[in-house]
């Protein structure tokens, strides 16, 4: 599905509607291929600048996957062909509807993007990295401890790996992310809404609910 979604994004372009300013960065939350089963193809970010849209598929944002242009609200490819439609749900939520194929069947892909907002905090990145937070969901606790190998030496040896799991704080502009690495490769990037000395609130991308809060370990 990831390859299909990448091709979809490569054919998309954007414009503002009803006078709303869409300039800024937008992060993909999930994609619904029309069968009610939402999926997450990996990191996808759009940067909208007036009549241009830059598409990134890597967290570093060092290389653009594509740059597209806007034309009176239509979604066009570089051949000036209309490819898809979109709807502004509110100032922070955009939905794109793109014709494609899912399991060799015609489908309309609904792509859900949310505006990337600055993290609310007075802390520096270095301060957050020194803290450990605990998230409790359905009676299960998950610790967020940063810049530390989370697998013990015995597990690494058994799995024949030099690296197991590690969580890091990284950022895009003024937005902090909790970035998880497995076997040295980035697995997920969860934006942080707010962080204080007592708690950290994350946007639950790509899974519901929309927000989740972890509290500092005592």
């Amino acid at each position: 599905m990831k390859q299909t979604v990448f091709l979809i994004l490569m054919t998309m372009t954007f414009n503002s509607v009803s006078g709303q300013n869409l300039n800024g960065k937008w992060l993909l939350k999930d994609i619904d291929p029309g069968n009610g089963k939402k999926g997450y193809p990996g990191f996808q970010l759009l940067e909208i600048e007036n009549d241009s849209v830059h598409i990134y598929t890597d967290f570093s944002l060092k290389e653009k996957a594509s740059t597209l242009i806007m034309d009176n609200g239509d979604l066009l490819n570089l051949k000036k062909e209309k490819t898809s439609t979109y709807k502004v749900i509110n100032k922070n939520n955009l939905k794109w509807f793109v014709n494609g194929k899912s399991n060799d069947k015609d489908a309309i892909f609904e792509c859900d993007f949310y505006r990337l907002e600055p993290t609310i905090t007075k802390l520096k990145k270095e301060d957050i990295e020194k803290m450990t937070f605990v998230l409790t969901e359905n009676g299960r606790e998950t610790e967020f401890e940063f810049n530390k190998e989370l697998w013990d030496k015995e597990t690494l040896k058994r799995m024949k790996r030099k690296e197991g799991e590690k969580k890091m704080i990284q950022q895009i502009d003024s937005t902090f992310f909790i970035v998880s690495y497995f076997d040295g490769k980035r697995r997920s990037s969860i934006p942080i809404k707010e962080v204080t000395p007592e708690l950290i609130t994350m946007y639950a991308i790509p899974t519901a609910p929309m927000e989740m809060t972890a509290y500092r370990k005592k």
Side-chain angles (χ1 to χ4, degrees), residues 38-81:
K38 294 185 177 182
Y40 180 64
F43 180 84
Q44 310 275 359
L45 183 140
L46 316 174
E47 184 176 19
I48 302 176
E49 294 181 319
N50 300 321
D51 61 348
S52 298
V53 175
H54 308 298
I55 301 174
Y56 299 89
T57 57
D58 184 79
F59 188 87
S60 68
L61 306 189
K62 290 182 179 179
E63 185 175 350
K64 300 170 186 176
S66 180
T67 296
L68 306 175
I69 58 175
M70 299 178 287
D71 183 27
N72 297 322
D74 286 339
L75 311 184
L76 311 176
N77 60 24
L78 295 179
K79 295 180 180 180
K80 301 297 180 67
E81 300 166 334

Side-chain angles (χ1 to χ4, degrees), residues 2-215:
K2 185 172 182 178
Q3 183 177 5
T4 300
V5 173
F6 178 76
L7 293 175
I8 288 172
L9 290 178
M10 291 290 288
T11 65
M12 294 170 61
T13 186
F14 310 89
N15 200 357
S16 60
V17 295
S18 303
Q20 296 191 54
N21 181 10
L22 301 184
N23 283 354
K25 292 183 173 67
W26 299 77
L27 190 66
L28 176 67
K29 182 181 188 295
D30 50 44
I31 293 181
D32 187 344
N35 58 10
K37 297 180 180 179
K38 294 185 177 182
Y40 180 64
F43 180 84
Q44 310 275 359
L45 183 140
L46 316 174
E47 184 176 19
I48 302 176
E49 294 181 319
N50 300 321
D51 61 348
S52 298
V53 175
H54 308 298
I55 301 174
Y56 299 89
T57 57
D58 184 79
F59 188 87
S60 68
L61 306 189
K62 290 182 179 179
E63 185 175 350
K64 300 170 186 176
S66 180
T67 296
L68 306 175
I69 58 175
M70 299 178 287
D71 183 27
N72 297 322
D74 286 339
L75 311 184
L76 311 176
N77 60 24
L78 295 179
K79 295 180 180 180
K80 301 297 180 67
E81 300 166 334
K82 182 176 179 179
T83 62
S84 53
T85 61
Y86 67 90
K87 181 179 180 180
V88 178
I89 305 304
N90 55 53
K91 66 179 182 178
N92 293 319
N93 181 204
L94 305 175
K95 287 183 181 288
W96 277 263
F97 304 91
V98 186
N99 291 326
K101 285 188 177 294
S102 177
N103 298 323
D104 296 325
K105 295 182 180 180
D106 290 338
I108 298 177
F109 290 83
E110 180 179 316
C111 310
D112 225 342
F113 288 87
Y114 283 82
R115 187 186 294 274
L116 197 61
E117 299 282 4
T119 298
I120 303 170
T121 187
K122 294 181 180 180
L123 301 172
K124 296 181 180 179
K125 175 176 176 288
E126 294 76 15
D127 298 326
I128 303 172
E129 291 174 327
K130 296 175 183 178
M131 303 176 185
T132 299
F133 298 91
V134 179
L135 175 69
T136 303
E137 284 186 305
N138 301 320
R140 180 183 176 183
E141 292 187 350
T142 302
E143 286 194 3
F144 290 86
E145 189 174 6
F146 307 106
N147 297 337
K148 177 183 178 182
E149 174 57 62
L150 300 179
W151 289 12
D152 56 39
K153 293 182 179 180
E154 182 179 340
T155 301
L156 288 170
K157 184 177 180 180
R158 185 175 68 253
M159 300 299 291
K160 298 180 179 180
R161 292 182 179 178
K162 294 182 179 180
E163 298 179 68
E165 178 182 359
K166 181 182 291 185
K167 290 182 172 62
M168 302 178 69
I169 297 293
Q170 297 181 354
Q171 68 184 98
I172 294 177
D173 297 340
S174 298
T175 305
F176 289 120
F177 287 75
I178 295 178
V179 181
S180 296
Y181 286 84
F182 289 85
D183 196 21
K185 299 177 181 179
R186 182 176 50 80
R187 177 73 61 86
S188 64
S189 311
I190 303 176
I192 300 172
K193 178 181 180 179
E194 180 180 11
V195 57
T196 73
E198 291 77 35
L199 59 82
I200 186 169
T201 299
M202 301 157 280
Y203 295 105
I205 295 176
T207 57
M210 280 302 298
E211 294 181 9
M212 52 189 179
T213 298
Y215 294 89

